[in-house]
Amino acid sequence: MADLPVEAFVLGWRILTGEPPAVLLGSRTAMIALLVACAPVVPLTPADPVWDAPLRGDGTQL
């Protein structure tokens, strides 16, 4: 990430956030850490495995 040109970093930031960074911090790692810290956590609900679903007499899922 240290070798990434500033323009490419700003473009990537805009893609992720929808806006340009208000301030370019001295450390891109700090900027990414700030972005991650501010992003809400999306709860993941695991999908029910197919093998746990009840089956009909013909072997198809209910």
Side-chain angles (χ1 to χ4, degrees):
M1 182 164 339
D3 295 334
L4 192 65
V6 172
E7 297 81 16
F9 182 80
V10 170
L11 177 63
W13 186 272
R14 289 185 79 142
I15 290 169
L16 288 173
T17 65
E19 57 189 47
V23 175
L24 282 176
L25 300 178
S27 168
R28 294 179 185 178
T29 303
M31 289 183 71
I32 299 297
L34 179 63
L35 179 64
V36 170
C38 294
V41 176
V42 178
L44 299 176
T45 51
D48 292 328
V50 174
W51 58 83
D52 286 347
L55 299 177
R56 297 184 181 134
D58 61 1
T60 60
Q61 217 174 334
L62 290 175

